[in-house]
Amino acid sequence: MANLELKKNIFGRLSDGTEIELYTVNNGKMSFSSTNYGCTLTSIMLPTAKGAFVDVLLGFSTLDGWVGDGYCFGTGVGRFANRIGGASFTLDGKKYQLDDNDSGRTLHGGFTRWEKKVWNHKEVETKYGRGVEYSRVSPDGEQGFPGNLSAKQIFTLSEDNILTLEYFATTDAPTPISITNHAYFNLKGYDGGTIRDQEAMFNADTVLEIKEDHLPTGKILNVEGTPFDFRTPRLISSQIEKLPFGFDDCFCVNGFDEKDFKLRDFGYVKDPASGRKMSVRTTQPGVQFYTANFLDGVKGKNGHPYGKQEALCLETQGYPDAPNKSEFPNSILRPGETYHQVTQYVFEF
């Protein structure tokens, strides 16, 4: 890993004086940066044809932006990504009431978000590359979830342009878990405008059926003949125009098997104009494809206002509302078990 350079700088200080770090890992061709405030990916720099670099990740120029952010730009999400219906679930005969932060639902963990926590951090080298390990204990009752949960998120870069996100957790009581990262990508650059003219291909024959409240019904639908059919490369615009508002849907990863832990190729997005391409591999059962339908002019990096559908998210995760859907892949972590998931973003330019 001789070509992988890691630098650490002070990113800023919170109002209580806590110092926040920013790590940057560079392989000589591309780089990514992340911070221990919320396990947040702050930038991904890819080369241009003119020898410069473009940042393909939405976010902010300073720590203050993330402190005040409500859109989860690049943040680590837990204990349970996406939505839980009724802001509650029943486990082993006991009902648990969660934070209701989304009109009767729990979204991305509720009010006490992991993205607003300061995480322990250290430099690491793994089989996937060089980077940073972030860790903290989510105490029993945080967000309403049971059990003291020891969580780790490891971000590494390889010499061949693969950004790997690894998630680990153990618990002292049974608890639901689904960790993801909420990165907003635009392969044209964070100020490049709409992603509707970008190309996508997903290895997903099925998608979760959802109700108007975005909660899954429990049914899994075939994508053939629907706007969700990206099994062959398509411009996002050709499909998004068939929907009233945009994509915010969980696609089922082809070939997923709970008993077979392996990275599976989910698909890719590509910017035809620049040729930049990002492929996704994951051990998770689902990928939430979200086209930034709710961005409404929030000022981001260098003051650029982010508008509707100026980014896309590919959030690898367990199925939403899985704690209330026994037919979905298991989402419960129990004492003595280790939660471990891996996601890779593979960049070509």
Side-chain angles (χ1 to χ4, degrees):
M1 301 183 184
N3 295 324
L4 293 168
E5 178 186 60
L6 190 153
K7 292 183 177 179
K8 182 174 73 171
N9 296 293
I10 298 173
F11 193 35
R13 288 179 172 82
L14 301 179
S15 58
D16 63 2
T18 301
E19 190 173 273
I20 301 300
E21 305 283 355
L22 182 73
Y23 287 89
T24 300
V25 184
N26 191 321
N27 67 5
K29 295 166 287 187
M30 64 166 288
S31 67
F32 82 91
S33 296
S34 65
T35 175
N36 63 310
Y37 183 75
C39 289
T40 301
L41 288 170
T42 60
S43 69
I44 297 175
M45 306 296 292
L46 302 182
T48 70
K50 297 181 178 180
F53 287 87
V54 61
D55 187 353
V56 299
L57 206 60
L58 274 63
F60 303 95
S61 299
T62 66
L63 174 62
D64 288 345
W66 271 282
V67 171
D69 170 40
Y71 290 92
C72 305
F73 285 110
T75 61
V77 178
R79 287 186 193 189
F80 203 90
N82 215 312
R83 298 167 176 87
I84 295 179
S88 65
F89 64 92
T90 299
L91 177 58
D92 295 339
K94 181 178 178 180
K95 184 174 181 179
Y96 293 88
Q97 191 65 45
L98 307 175
D99 293 343
D100 178 353
N101 68 326
D102 189 44
S103 302
R105 301 173 294 273
T106 300
L107 177 62
H108 296 325
F111 296 117
T112 311
R113 295 262 182 111
W114 282 13
E115 69 193 77
K116 304 302 182 185
K117 302 296 184 181
V118 178
W119 290 63
N120 302 314
H121 51 96
K122 65 178 182 180
E123 300 177 16
V124 295
E125 288 189 6
T126 75
K127 66 179 181 180
Y128 297 117
R130 190 175 183 189
V132 191
E133 175 187 296
Y134 299 111
S135 63
R136 74 178 288 264
V137 175
S138 173
D140 178 46
E142 185 173 70
Q143 303 170 335
F145 289 99
N148 295 291
L149 186 87
S150 297
K152 290 194 298 185
Q153 302 185 51
I154 302 176
F155 302 164
T156 54
L157 181 65
S158 71
E159 295 182 355
D160 51 353
N161 308 319
I162 301 174
L163 173 61
T164 299
L165 311 183
E166 277 193 280
Y167 308 118
F168 294 88
T170 57
T171 182
D172 62 5
T175 188
I177 187 166
S178 175
I179 304 175
T180 193
N181 187 278
H182 207 297
Y184 288 73
F185 299 99
N186 188 330
L187 294 178
K188 293 186 289 187
Y190 68 82
D191 57 355
T194 179
I195 48 82
R196 293 165 67 98
D197 57 356
Q198 296 184 22
E199 178 184 286
M201 193 286 292
F202 300 154
N203 293 313
D205 296 334
T206 54
V207 66
L208 298 187
E209 181 183 59
I210 58 172
K211 299 174 289 185
E212 290 184 0
D213 60 4
H214 291 282
L215 285 171
T217 64
K219 294 182 180 179
I220 297 177
L221 304 179
N222 193 294
V223 300
E224 186 172 358
T226 75
F228 308 103
D229 191 350
F230 284 94
R231 293 174 298 174
T232 56
R234 300 177 186 270
L235 289 180
I236 294 173
S237 60
S238 70
Q239 303 298 84
I240 205 170
E241 291 170 355
K242 303 173 184 178
L243 298 171
F245 197 57
F247 288 98
D248 191 4
D249 299 272
C250 187
F251 287 73
C252 307
V253 178
N254 282 355
F256 175 77
D257 183 345
E258 291 183 75
K259 299 178 182 178
D260 182 18
F261 181 83
K262 64 182 291 186
L263 280 164
R264 293 177 171 84
D265 293 322
F266 173 69
Y268 71 81
V269 291
K270 181 178 180 179
D271 174 39
S274 67
R276 297 185 199 103
K277 180 180 177 181
M278 182 183 76
S279 301
V280 181
R281 305 167 183 162
T282 187
T283 59
Q284 302 260 42
V287 178
Q288 189 81 7
F289 179 41
Y290 173 55
T291 48
N293 309 311
F294 295 102
L295 292 185
D296 60 358
V298 59
K299 290 187 177 180
K301 294 176 179 177
N302 296 314
H304 176 74
Y306 299 134
K308 180 180 178 180
Q309 295 172 358
E310 287 195 10
L312 58 86
C313 302
L314 292 168
E315 306 159 57
T316 61
Q317 58 189 241
Y319 289 174
D321 204 30
N324 293 314
K325 299 283 191 298
S326 60
E327 63 270 36
F328 284 175
N330 176 57
S331 66
I332 305 302
L333 179 68
R334 296 183 179 274
E337 300 174 343
T338 298
Y339 174 87
H340 180 208
Q341 300 290 351
V342 183
T343 291
Q344 292 185 324
Y345 297 102
V346 183
F347 294 93
E348 299 175 48
F349 35 78

